[in-house]
């Protein structure tokens, strides 16, 4: 049995991740922020505390054409489940966790909140107009990006209809969006992300989805 970090035969105690990777027990244990694999010292370590393994890094969303490619597919999956009337041309911006914390009005970085939707409502005597903007973490692989984008798009869908529910059902409904997108993609990573959602003990996000 080889160590995934030092590539030597493992003698004695070892650790194993959900993907079957093994490392010597005395190595520093760091996990990929997206898939959960053990990461090596040579893998990508971001200043905000996130790590990316060699499997996830190549599919990271970086460019406008990446965003557009994922958005088209997310809209198609949501439409197949009856949500086909999400407004077009919503600005989608990549931000760092530090920028996200400022946008959400928090003093602390929250790595468990990779997306945020801002909606501005303009009212007139005979009209009502909504303006939306979606923010997502940078350095998300396409599959994870798709699930987070689906979540935020369902916030837009609810805001357009002035649907006001408790946080449990607002966030739970959005997480159903992530779930159906991951289920439709049906890869090892998407199944891993579904399991992470199902194992989430949060009484709002996953209990609401159930």
């Amino acid at each position: 049995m080889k160590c995934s970090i030092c590539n030597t035969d493992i003698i004695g105690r070892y650790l194993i991740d959900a993907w079957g990777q093994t490392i010597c027990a005395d190595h520093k244990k760091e996990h990929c922020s997206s898939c959960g694999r053990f990461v090596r010292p040579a893998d990508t370590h971001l200043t905000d505390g996130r790590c990316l393994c060699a499997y996830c890094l190549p599919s990271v969303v970086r460019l406008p054409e990446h965003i557009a490619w994922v958005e088209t597919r997310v809209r198609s999956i949501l439409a197949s489940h009856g949500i086909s009337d999400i407004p077009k041309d919503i600005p989608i911006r990549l931000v760092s966790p530090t920028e996200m914390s400022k946008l959400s009005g928090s003093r602390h970085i929250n790595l468990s909140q990779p997306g945020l939707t801002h909606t501005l409502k303009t009212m007139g005597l005979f009209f009502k107009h909504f303006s939306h903007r979606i923010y997502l973490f940078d350095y998300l692989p396409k599959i994870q990006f798709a699930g987070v984008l689906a979540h935020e798009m369902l916030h837009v869908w609810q805001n357009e209809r002035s649907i006001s529910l408790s946080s449990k059902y607002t966030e739970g409904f959005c997480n159903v969006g992530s779930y159906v997108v991951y289920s439709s993609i049906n890869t090892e990573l998407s199944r891993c992300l579904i399991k992470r959602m199902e194992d989430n003990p949060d009484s709002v996000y996953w209990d609401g989805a159930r």
Side-chain angles (χ1 to χ4, degrees):
M1 195 161 48
K2 292 279 188 183
C3 173
S4 297
I5 291 180
C6 63
N7 201 35
T8 60
D9 291 334
I10 294 177
I11 300 173
R13 297 178 64 227
Y14 64 91
L15 303 173
I16 184 167
D17 64 20
W19 300 85
Q21 290 189 142
T22 52
I23 63 171
C24 301
D26 57 353
H27 286 312
K28 182 179 180 182
K29 185 175 67 173
E30 294 180 295
H31 294 277
C32 175
S33 303
S34 294
C35 72
R37 285 183 174 90
F38 289 134
V39 296
R40 303 164 179 82
D43 287 333
T44 301
H45 292 69
L46 304 176
T47 57
D48 53 49
R50 291 179 293 164
C51 304
L52 282 168
C53 70
Y55 295 93
C56 290
L57 184 63
S59 68
V60 160
V61 173
R62 302 175 186 271
L63 304 172
E65 48 264 40
H66 296 162
I67 297 173
W69 188 89
V70 176
E71 180 184 0
T72 298
R73 282 146 185 83
V74 167
R75 286 182 178 275
S76 175
I77 294 169
L78 293 179
S80 72
H81 288 270
I83 306 292
S84 58
D85 49 354
I86 297 171
K88 307 296 184 184
D89 302 319
I90 303 171
I92 302 170
R93 182 183 164 201
L94 303 179
V95 297
S96 70
T98 300
E99 292 174 298
M100 187 74 84
S101 67
K102 292 177 181 176
L103 288 164
S104 63
S106 172
R107 296 182 179 181
H108 306 287
I109 292 176
N110 182 4
L111 295 181
S112 65
Q113 185 191 354
L116 180 69
T117 296
H118 276 174
T119 295
L120 179 64
K121 180 178 178 181
T122 305
M123 296 286 293
L125 188 59
F126 300 108
F127 73 91
K128 180 171 58 176
H129 175 73
F130 295 91
S131 176
H132 311 280
R133 187 177 293 270
I134 291 174
Y135 302 93
L136 283 89
F137 276 177
D138 53 8
Y139 289 96
L140 293 180
K142 286 188 177 72
I143 291 173
Q144 187 179 15
F145 188 96
V148 178
L149 181 58
H151 180 107
E152 298 308 322
M153 281 186 161
L154 290 189
H155 275 303
V156 169
W157 189 87
Q158 291 180 81
N159 292 342
E160 279 279 319
R161 284 151 188 77
S162 299
I163 296 173
S164 180
L165 303 170
S166 67
S167 295
K168 178 177 180 177
Y169 293 110
T170 295
E171 298 296 344
F173 178 70
C174 293
N175 260 5
V176 171
S178 300
Y179 181 88
V180 298
V181 166
Y182 290 146
S183 298
S184 177
I185 294 171
N186 194 26
T187 64
E188 280 190 313
L189 178 56
S190 67
R191 291 191 291 272
C192 167
L193 293 168
I194 286 174
K195 187 174 188 311
R196 186 181 299 175
M197 290 173 61
E198 291 174 339
D199 291 344
N200 187 346
D202 192 282
S203 61
V204 172
Y205 284 85
W206 187 242
D207 280 355
R210 288 192 187 95

